[in-house]
Amino acid sequence: MFDKPETIDDLFEMQLKDLYISESQLIDALPLMAEKAKDGRLRAGFTRSLHETEMQLQRLETIGEALGLDLDGYICKAMKGLIAEGQETMSERATEEVMDTALIAAQRIEHYEISDYGTAAHYAKRFGYTEVAELLRQTLNEEQLTDTKLNGLAKNYLNQKAV
Ligand code: FE
Ligand code: FE
């Protein structure tokens, strides 16, 4: 392990560790988000997202094993901050609609993951780790799909309800 990355390989390793811990941090945070969601579709979405995130973590474990890397033990400060900000908006005094609209803003987490997976997949491809790149792209596609679904929820009814 290194203190600060010096090579592109170090950066790639850091990126994978960041993804690994980000998904773990999300697995801890998603049950509360599902619990707070009032709309059935939103609640189901968070529950599905939890299962998907568990699969994504497993995918990263597979990648770690393939590359001989232990990905555990890092902390993603960005994800920690995003989750903390999300929790700040879960006000006890919010109406159901406002709570759901605030929860939909968890979309910013998807955007962070999309950018992180995109970078990692790019590194993997550059290093010739074709299968690893493919696994990372699989998760990237899932994150993009979740983002699209949240867009749909936001546009279709939640924002209308909240105004
Ligand atoms: Fe994820
Ligand atoms: Fe991070």
Side-chain angles (χ1 to χ4, degrees), residues 115-131:
S115 117
D116 256 3
Y117 273 103
T119 303
H122 181 76
Y123 290 163
K125 196 179 163 205
R126 184 182 156 166
F127 294 148
Y129 301 134
T130 315
E131 282 170 33

Side-chain angles (χ1 to χ4, degrees), residues 18 22 74-79 112 116:
D18 191 81
S22 295
Y74 187 76
I75 284 287
C76 173
K77 298 179 198 76
M79 182 62 85
Y112 177 69
D116 256 3

